[in-house]
Amino acid sequence: MSLAAQRQKYVQLCHDARQTTTERLSPLNGVSFTLTEWSGRAYEASKLWDGGYYDWLEISRRFSEPDRLALALWAEDRLLAMALATTTGSALFLQVVEGDPAADCPLQGLRLEIILDACANYAQCRGKSELRLEPKNQDLVALYENVYGFHRVNVRGG
């Protein structure tokens, strides 16, 4: 398979994973949403988050693998979250997630559920048997273990 054909295959699998999640979960708590690929529109919208942490354009440059899963979560014209997952061996690794920090975010508390569903869809399409993530703080450890059923595994160096 040519590199161009392989890249197109990944584009389609990412699209399918995002579409499956949107069709299965939207609307969630009465809020209709869509999941898209990253775009200039998403990068610009993320800069408007008061208290936003990540430079998503720089993340896009650093993680440019053709099989990455890039997610932008929208409710109408409002960007609610962005995320990036990459493949590694038998796993899909959720590298970075950030949500709109505004208290009035319409899917507050539900964004991670949507992101994880899309990641699981993509992992299954790619034949990956694991979904991995690395919590950035102790609150996230509790959330991932107690709410989403992840198990802590210590790996070399971490």
Side-chain angles (χ1 to χ4, degrees):
M1 180 182 296
S2 73
L3 184 59
Q6 193 171 32
R7 186 177 297 268
Q8 184 55 40
K9 175 184 167 188
Y10 296 141
V11 167
Q12 187 62 52
L13 291 175
C14 289
H15 173 270
D16 293 349
R18 290 188 296 264
Q19 188 66 30
T20 298
T21 293
T22 300
E23 289 173 0
R24 182 175 34 235
L25 297 180
S26 185
L28 191 59
N29 276 12
V31 178
S32 294
F33 67 84
T34 56
L35 280 170
T36 68
E37 169 68 66
W38 293 350
S39 64
R41 178 176 162 241
Y43 299 133
E44 289 304 311
S46 71
K47 291 177 186 177
L48 300 176
W49 289 343
D50 186 26
Y53 183 76
Y54 294 108
D55 179 343
W56 287 97
L57 192 54
E58 179 58 28
I59 290 170
S60 179
R61 287 186 192 114
R62 282 192 11 229
F63 294 95
S64 59
E65 298 89 344
D67 65 341
R68 73 180 189 183
L69 175 64
L71 300 166
L73 174 62
W74 300 88
E76 295 181 10
D77 288 333
R78 183 172 177 178
L79 180 65
L80 305 182
M82 289 182 71
L84 172 77
T86 57
T87 59
T88 174
S90 64
L92 184 71
F93 185 70
L94 183 56
Q95 297 278 354
V96 186
V97 178
E98 183 175 31
D100 178 351
D104 69 341
C105 182
L107 288 173
Q108 187 85 22
L110 299 170
R111 295 169 292 191
L112 187 58
E113 177 180 342
I114 295 165
I115 299 297
L116 289 173
D117 189 81
C119 287
N121 291 335
Y122 186 63
Q124 288 173 354
C125 290
R126 294 293 313 282
K128 304 296 180 183
S129 60
E130 298 177 16
L131 179 55
R132 296 181 186 170
L133 40 84
E134 187 174 338
K136 306 296 186 218
N137 60 51
Q138 205 55 38
D139 290 339
L140 289 175
V141 170
L143 177 71
Y144 294 153
E145 290 179 349
N146 299 330
V147 175
Y148 294 104
F150 283 87
H151 303 284
R152 186 183 310 216
V153 176
N154 292 324
V155 294
R156 283 180 282 139

